[in-house]
Amino acid sequence: MNATQDFDGLCALVTGGASGIGAAVATLLLARGARVAVLDRETDGAPHGTLALRADVTDDAAVRDAVDRAAGELGGLHTLVSNAGVGSIGTVEDNTDEEWARVLDVNVLGMVRTARHALPHLRRSAAARPGAVSITHTCSVAATAGLPQRALYSASKGAVLSLTLAMAADHVREGIRVNCVNPGTADTPWVGRLLGQAEDPVAERAALEARQPLGRLVLADEVAAAVAYLAGPGAASVTGTALAVDGGMQGLRLRPAAG
């Protein structure tokens, strides 16, 4: 099989798939042969050729209905990419209990709800296509590196990392692989909205670029390529893995550039 069509015959669901990283993932999976459904609160930006399903990941009944519809209309479900998420800025003194509840509800429980309803469909697919069934979470470098002004966001992504490992252990013998991708700061509309909250958005963007050793923000297409690897049949022996796409932010410690 042509490697560029390695998702031929596979059905994928991408949450948060109408913009940013999710839209890039959906577009790439389509290009590589998958049938793709997108679940999002607003679906206007869903890539052409996807099945656009409007649902909020904080609404369990809506998620259940969307997942079941995706599996029914696509003809099954082999790949779940759980990407929907929200950001938050501040220290532990800055975010209210209500904000903590909201972010954890989206970033952690949203993944739990989606997986809960996808698993029966994934199990059926695993019996027919060994090695081709997977769940991939969008985590973050914030799960593994201490970042300033990101206490709530980091806590939510730390939970996603632990959830990924636990789910990988729970479902490996069912033929369902579970991994996550850990982007650095990505150049997406979501990050653009966070920058818009800064006192000096230009200076904040420059600081975000400088803290990644490559000296630039990560591109959504670069994260999508990592997701496609983890979700694809070529990664049939990869489970319980966190793949960093962060411009070297987590692992590299460079000396300051010479002045």
PDB file of all heavy atoms in Angstrom, residues 209 212-216 222 246-248 254:
ATOM      1  N   GLU A 209       8.092  32.447  21.277  1.00  0.00           N
ATOM      2  CA  GLU A 209       8.989  31.950  20.238  1.00  0.00           C
ATOM      3  C   GLU A 209      10.381  31.687  20.795  1.00  0.00           C
ATOM      4  O   GLU A 209      11.025  30.681  20.469  1.00  0.00           O
ATOM      5  CB  GLU A 209       9.056  32.949  19.088  1.00  0.00           C
ATOM      6  CG  GLU A 209       7.762  33.049  18.293  1.00  0.00           C
ATOM      7  CD  GLU A 209       7.791  34.159  17.269  1.00  0.00           C
ATOM      8  OE1 GLU A 209       8.629  35.091  17.414  1.00  0.00           O
ATOM      9  OE2 GLU A 209       6.983  34.120  16.315  1.00  0.00           O
ATOM     10  N   GLN A 212      11.262  28.332  22.799  1.00  0.00           N
ATOM     11  CA  GLN A 212      11.399  27.086  22.053  1.00  0.00           C
ATOM     12  C   GLN A 212      12.724  27.124  21.302  1.00  0.00           C
ATOM     13  O   GLN A 212      12.974  28.058  20.526  1.00  0.00           O
ATOM     14  CB  GLN A 212      10.201  26.886  21.115  1.00  0.00           C
ATOM     15  CG  GLN A 212       8.906  26.763  21.910  1.00  0.00           C
ATOM     16  CD  GLN A 212       7.669  26.445  21.097  1.00  0.00           C
ATOM     17  OE1 GLN A 212       6.700  25.946  21.640  1.00  0.00           O
ATOM     18  NE2 GLN A 212       7.667  26.721  19.814  1.00  0.00           N
ATOM     19  N   PRO A 213      13.611  26.140  21.515  1.00  0.00           N
ATOM     20  CA  PRO A 213      14.952  26.203  20.928  1.00  0.00           C
ATOM     21  C   PRO A 213      14.980  26.445  19.426  1.00  0.00           C
ATOM     22  O   PRO A 213      15.926  27.059  18.927  1.00  0.00           O
ATOM     23  CB  PRO A 213      15.542  24.834  21.292  1.00  0.00           C
ATOM     24  CG  PRO A 213      14.911  24.517  22.614  1.00  0.00           C
ATOM     25  CD  PRO A 213      13.494  25.012  22.476  1.00  0.00           C
ATOM     26  N   LEU A 214      13.964  26.008  18.684  1.00  0.00           N
ATOM     27  CA  LEU A 214      13.942  26.293  17.254  1.00  0.00           C
ATOM     28  C   LEU A 214      13.708  27.764  16.960  1.00  0.00           C
ATOM     29  O   LEU A 214      13.924  28.220  15.836  1.00  0.00           O
ATOM     30  CB  LEU A 214      12.854  25.465  16.560  1.00  0.00           C
ATOM     31  CG  LEU A 214      13.181  24.003  16.279  1.00  0.00           C
ATOM     32  CD1 LEU A 214      11.996  23.328  15.588  1.00  0.00           C
ATOM     33  CD2 LEU A 214      14.430  23.852  15.423  1.00  0.00           C
ATOM     34  N   GLY A 215      13.246  28.508  17.968  1.00  0.00           N
ATOM     35  CA  GLY A 215      13.069  29.944  17.803  1.00  0.00           C
ATOM     36  C   GLY A 215      11.796  30.355  17.104  1.00  0.00           C
ATOM     37  O   GLY A 215      11.661  31.489  16.636  1.00  0.00           O
ATOM     38  N   ARG A 216      10.828  29.457  17.027  1.00  0.00           N
ATOM     39  CA  ARG A 216       9.542  29.776  16.399  1.00  0.00           C
ATOM     40  C   ARG A 216       8.456  28.923  17.021  1.00  0.00           C
ATOM     41  O   ARG A 216       8.741  27.947  17.727  1.00  0.00           O
ATOM     42  CB  ARG A 216       9.597  29.511  14.889  1.00  0.00           C
ATOM     43  CG  ARG A 216       9.849  28.054  14.523  1.00  0.00           C
ATOM     44  CD  ARG A 216       9.645  27.817  13.037  1.00  0.00           C
ATOM     45  NE  ARG A 216       9.963  26.460  12.627  1.00  0.00           N
ATOM     46  CZ  ARG A 216       9.134  25.418  12.751  1.00  0.00           C
ATOM     47  NH1 ARG A 216       7.944  25.571  13.304  1.00  0.00           N
ATOM     48  NH2 ARG A 216       9.499  24.217  12.327  1.00  0.00           N
ATOM     49  N   GLU A 222       2.574  20.372  11.660  1.00  0.00           N
ATOM     50  CA  GLU A 222       3.623  19.539  12.259  1.00  0.00           C
ATOM     51  C   GLU A 222       3.053  18.657  13.358  1.00  0.00           C
ATOM     52  O   GLU A 222       3.443  17.484  13.507  1.00  0.00           O
ATOM     53  CB  GLU A 222       4.739  20.426  12.793  1.00  0.00           C
ATOM     54  CG  GLU A 222       5.481  21.172  11.692  1.00  0.00           C
ATOM     55  CD  GLU A 222       6.420  22.242  12.208  1.00  0.00           C
ATOM     56  OE1 GLU A 222       6.184  22.797  13.304  1.00  0.00           O
ATOM     57  OE2 GLU A 222       7.401  22.542  11.503  1.00  0.00           O
ATOM     58  N   ASP A 246       7.707  20.017  20.087  1.00  0.00           N
ATOM     59  CA  ASP A 246       7.831  21.253  20.858  1.00  0.00           C
ATOM     60  C   ASP A 246       9.053  22.081  20.513  1.00  0.00           C
ATOM     61  O   ASP A 246       9.472  22.940  21.289  1.00  0.00           O
ATOM     62  CB  ASP A 246       7.837  20.927  22.357  1.00  0.00           C
ATOM     63  CG  ASP A 246       8.999  20.024  22.760  1.00  0.00           C
ATOM     64  OD1 ASP A 246       9.864  19.736  21.911  1.00  0.00           O
ATOM     65  OD2 ASP A 246       9.042  19.598  23.931  1.00  0.00           O
ATOM     66  N   GLY A 247       9.652  21.827  19.350  1.00  0.00           N
ATOM     67  CA  GLY A 247      10.832  22.589  18.972  1.00  0.00           C
ATOM     68  C   GLY A 247      12.007  22.401  19.911  1.00  0.00           C
ATOM     69  O   GLY A 247      12.893  23.264  19.984  1.00  0.00           O
ATOM     70  N   GLY A 248      12.035  21.288  20.642  1.00  0.00           N
ATOM     71  CA  GLY A 248      13.125  21.014  21.582  1.00  0.00           C
ATOM     72  C   GLY A 248      12.920  21.587  22.962  1.00  0.00           C
ATOM     73  O   GLY A 248      13.810  21.497  23.816  1.00  0.00           O
ATOM     74  N   LEU A 254      19.934  24.808  25.891  1.00  0.00           N
ATOM     75  CA  LEU A 254      20.949  25.494  25.088  1.00  0.00           C
ATOM     76  C   LEU A 254      21.631  26.600  25.884  1.00  0.00           C
ATOM     77  O   LEU A 254      21.018  27.225  26.752  1.00  0.00           O
ATOM     78  CB  LEU A 254      20.314  26.092  23.832  1.00  0.00           C
ATOM     79  CG  LEU A 254      19.525  25.155  22.912  1.00  0.00           C
ATOM     80  CD1 LEU A 254      19.123  25.910  21.652  1.00  0.00           C
ATOM     81  CD2 LEU A 254      20.351  23.923  22.561  1.00  0.00           C
TER      82      LEU A 254
END
